[in-house]
Amino acid sequence: MEQENTQNSKGIMKIPSFLIISFLTIFAIGPQYFANLSYTMNQEIVQNGLSLGSQQLLIPSTLSNIAFALGVPLGPVITRALGVRKNYLTFILLFLCGSLINLFAPNLVILVIGRIIQSVSAGILFLTMLPVSLKSFPNNIRNTYLFFIITGLFGATAAGAFFGSLSLDVDAWRWLFLLNVISALLCLIIGFFALPKIVEEHEHPPIDKTGLFLLILLMIVLSIPLCNLMNKGFTSYYVWPFLVIAMILLVLFILVDVKAETPIVPFRTLKAAKPISGTVMAVASHILLVLALAGINGFLRHNKDLPVHYLLIFYCCFFVGIVFTAIFKTLFYGALGAGKLGIIGSLAVMFVSWKWRTMTPAVSLPVLYVEIALLGAGVSMVLVSGALGTAFAGNLHFASMRSGTLHTIRNFTGAVVTPIVAWFISTQNHIQYENIRGHLGEFDSETNAELVNLTRRFVSMGLPVKDAQSMTSYELIANTKKSAILMAYHNLFTIMFGVGVIMLAASIVKMATGKGIGLVKKEKKVKRSDKKITEPTA
């Protein structure tokens, strides 16, 4: 039955199956990354379009990240029950529904509902399709899987930043969800005809209901403090008590899952140096990407005052770095291994982080273009190296379990870190602003001289004295705000450098433990001497 359907799909499409599966994988998962980054870029337009307050802007992205992190470990569980075809078609249809809801969302509540539906669906499809995509590649070209996945998934992140910047120029945001609708429709149609109908008759292992309950409860409880953190801070009763409860639930979930026969997240598979170091590489690089995008987006918008068309070029360079890594890893992953490639990528992001620690608005655009390309290349190189190094760090029978555990930890950490980063930037900005105001309030001779000169310059331009003094005060406040937010970004980039050091250390450990199993299996050669033995003699 399976063979017949596979032949039919090949006959209809006349396209290699690995290309079809890769398309279905990238365009099912990629739109989630696309939507996240595009929303990050155009929050001001969404705020104006839905008449939102600034305090509400982070709620959709925070809940979206939590929903995606919830969906990731559920993917294999649901796939075992429904099969790949039913699972894929069901949740790509749900993603389509979520996209349509977002396309016509009249208010914040409806937008949040749509984003949650999108994110849970994409999360479930994440670990449903990635293993299927890898297995679909013929052995002799299996390294090309890296090219498709890196350019597809990391490219979706770059595309989200690109189109999010473009939406600032056209002053509209709903059309971005229309792109999600189109991608979901394509996946639904192609998946319906291309995915084989497989009837599975074997018994499925029971679902760990206690673990599933604790996981869902953990995500619900965690959403409360993360949504309130930005505005209320850690000391609020809406934040720290729920964080304590979430921590307790997390510990209980891990304890239950470790002892379960069929765990939701098989933590037991990460109990050796190889998978642990690979997991640290992937998680740290994910955190670094969150820090980098939050910091550099803010710098370009608030300090550099970069026009939109330069932002588009900037994120094109980010994509160029990703494509370089995709090609480089495809060619050299088998020869160098995850550890050495992780070291190369870590050094690249550490170099960029160190430069950004002291960056000023005077930095040239060509330098920024090169640095964002290095960042894109480095982060994608370390993250994918860590993910593959963990999956292939032992018995291949448990490869999907190790991969599932890693990606669950990675996405859960990313969902928690993102609102914390936003809170950190806001808090640091406020602290630095008050420090600068305190310094200016002393009215030392140097400050007074600068203010007097600035006022005289405005008077010489034809302004009355009172207006010139008002303009001086305005310039003083504006420059103070820019200086404060710049210091906040510098502190963020310092943390980013520290994360890069962790990535480097984990990569060194990964290299020390050996390359592990490669993507391409070595085929056994038949010896000629064996053939001669079977030949009849005259």
Side-chain angles (χ1 to χ4, degrees):
M1 184 74 174
E2 178 185 353
Q3 185 177 1
E4 183 180 335
N5 282 295
T6 304
Q7 288 175 351
N8 288 339
S9 65
K10 287 182 178 178
I12 294 171
M13 298 293 184
K14 295 182 180 178
I15 299 173
S17 61
F18 69 88
L19 290 179
I20 298 173
I21 297 298
S22 296
F23 178 89
L24 294 176
T25 301
I26 292 168
F27 282 86
I29 304 168
Q32 170 67 15
Y33 299 128
F34 174 90
N36 281 351
L37 261 294
S38 60
Y39 179 83
T40 300
M41 297 299 298
N42 63 15
Q43 286 182 355
E44 295 175 3
I45 302 176
V46 178
Q47 180 182 8
N48 295 332
L50 297 180
S51 301
L52 303 177
S54 58
Q55 298 180 351
Q56 301 170 308
L57 281 178
L58 285 178
I59 294 177
S61 57
T62 299
L63 294 180
S64 170
N65 289 331
I66 293 173
F68 185 79
L70 172 63
V72 169
L74 298 183
V77 176
I78 298 175
T79 302
R80 286 195 295 267
L82 299 180
V84 173
R85 177 184 169 84
K86 288 183 180 179
N87 189 22
Y88 185 87
L89 295 179
T90 299
F91 287 100
I92 201 66
L93 179 61
L94 281 176
F95 186 88
L96 174 61
C97 294
S99 302
L100 288 170
I101 290 172
N102 290 329
L103 182 61
F104 299 104
N107 53 51
L108 177 67
V109 174
I110 302 301
L111 180 67
V112 167
I113 292 172
R115 291 294 293 125
I116 290 175
I117 294 173
Q118 275 187 313
S119 302
V120 171
S121 303
I124 289 171
L125 291 174
F126 186 86
L127 287 179
T128 298
M129 294 307 295
L130 280 182
V132 175
S133 179
L134 175 59
K135 293 175 183 178
S136 69
F137 279 77
N139 182 59
N140 59 332
I141 61 167
R142 190 159 288 166
N143 275 351
T144 56
Y145 164 81
L146 296 173
F147 178 82
F148 283 96
I149 293 301
I150 294 173
T151 55
L153 299 187
F154 280 93
T157 300
F162 179 90
F163 283 97
S165 301
L166 186 61
S167 68
L168 294 173
D169 194 34
V170 299
D171 196 25
W173 58 275
R174 293 185 187 273
W175 63 276
L176 295 171
F177 290 111
L178 180 60
L179 297 180
N180 285 166
V181 170
I182 294 171
S183 67
L185 277 173
L186 287 174
C187 288
L188 190 63
I189 295 170
I190 295 173
F192 181 81
F193 290 104
L195 291 174
K197 298 177 182 178
I198 303 174
V199 180
E200 299 182 3
E201 298 180 354
H202 60 82
E203 295 184 1
H204 304 290
I207 298 174
D208 178 19
K209 295 180 181 179
T210 304
L212 181 60
F213 171 76
L214 288 173
L215 179 63
I216 295 173
L217 183 61
L218 167 64
M219 295 302 186
I220 293 173
V221 171
L222 191 61
S223 64
I224 298 173
L226 293 183
C227 287
N228 286 286
L229 177 61
M230 178 70 173
N231 304 313
K232 300 183 183 298
F234 278 101
T235 58
S236 169
Y237 287 112
Y238 290 95
V239 178
W240 73 263
F242 291 98
L243 286 178
V244 172
I245 296 172
M247 183 64 68
I248 295 172
L249 289 172
L250 177 60
V251 172
L252 289 175
F253 171 70
I254 294 173
L255 292 175
V256 168
D257 243 35
V258 167
K259 296 179 181 179
E261 292 184 9
T262 55
I264 304 293
V265 183
F267 293 103
R268 289 174 294 184
T269 58
L270 302 183
K271 58 181 181 179
K274 276 187 179 182
I276 290 175
S277 58
T279 301
V280 173
M281 287 169 63
V283 173
S285 55
H286 188 118
I287 295 173
L288 187 136
L289 183 61
V290 172
L291 296 171
L293 291 177
I296 197 62
N297 285 338
F299 174 81
L300 295 177
R301 297 283 301 280
H302 299 131
N303 295 103
K304 190 69 175 171
D305 295 325
L306 208 61
V308 171
H309 64 278
Y310 288 116
L311 281 175
L312 300 180
I313 298 173
F314 183 79
Y315 287 109
C316 282
C317 293
F318 181 59
F319 181 68
V320 168
I322 292 169
V323 172
F324 169 80
T325 288
I327 297 172
F328 191 82
K329 286 186 74 70
T330 300
L331 296 176
F332 299 107
Y333 180 80
L336 298 177
K340 292 179 181 178
L341 290 173
I343 291 172
I344 295 171
S346 300
L347 291 174
V349 298
M350 287 173 63
F351 171 77
V352 174
S353 304
W354 187 261
K355 296 280 288 183
W356 286 1
R357 286 177 63 254
T358 55
M359 182 169 54
T360 67
V363 63
S364 67
L365 286 177
V367 170
L368 282 175
Y369 293 155
V370 172
E371 288 173 350
I372 194 63
L374 275 175
L375 180 78
V379 170
S380 56
M381 190 172 293
V382 180
L383 197 154
V384 177
S385 295
L388 287 175
T390 299
F392 294 98
N395 191 333
L396 289 180
H397 178 70
F398 301 105
S400 61
M401 295 183 184
R402 286 190 294 268
S403 179
T405 305
L406 176 146
H407 288 298
T408 299
I409 295 172
R410 179 175 68 83
N411 286 288
F412 177 81
T413 305
V416 173
V417 166
T418 301
I420 293 177
V421 170
W423 168 84
F424 176 82
I425 294 173
S426 176
T427 303
Q428 283 293 307
N429 180 33
H430 177 73
I431 292 173
Q432 299 298 336
Y433 181 72
E434 292 301 324
N435 288 340
I436 295 173
R437 279 186 60 190
H439 174 71
L440 293 175
E442 296 174 1
F443 292 106
D444 53 33
S445 58
E446 184 178 353
T447 301
N448 283 326
E450 290 180 0
L451 294 176
V452 170
N453 291 333
L454 187 59
T455 303
R456 288 175 179 172
R457 186 158 63 96
F458 286 130
V459 170
S460 66
M461 294 169 61
L463 289 176
V465 175
K466 288 186 178 181
D467 292 342
Q469 290 175 343
S470 298
M471 284 296 296
T472 299
S473 299
Y474 173 80
E475 287 290 327
L476 179 63
I477 294 172
N479 289 331
T480 300
K481 288 182 177 180
K482 284 190 175 184
S483 298
I485 194 65
L486 181 60
M487 291 180 183
Y489 292 139
H490 284 169
N491 292 337
L492 187 71
F493 294 139
T494 300
I495 297 173
M496 181 174 151
F497 179 81
V499 176
V501 173
I502 296 173
M503 292 163 57
L504 179 62
S507 299
I508 292 172
V509 173
K510 192 79 182 71
M511 181 184 67
T513 58
K515 289 197 299 184
I517 302 171
L519 281 177
V520 179
K521 297 179 181 178
K522 295 181 179 179
E523 298 179 356
K524 296 180 180 180
K525 296 182 180 180
V526 180
K527 296 181 180 180
R528 292 185 178 181
S529 58
D530 296 337
K531 289 185 176 181
K532 289 181 180 180
I533 293 173
T534 59
E535 290 176 1
T537 55

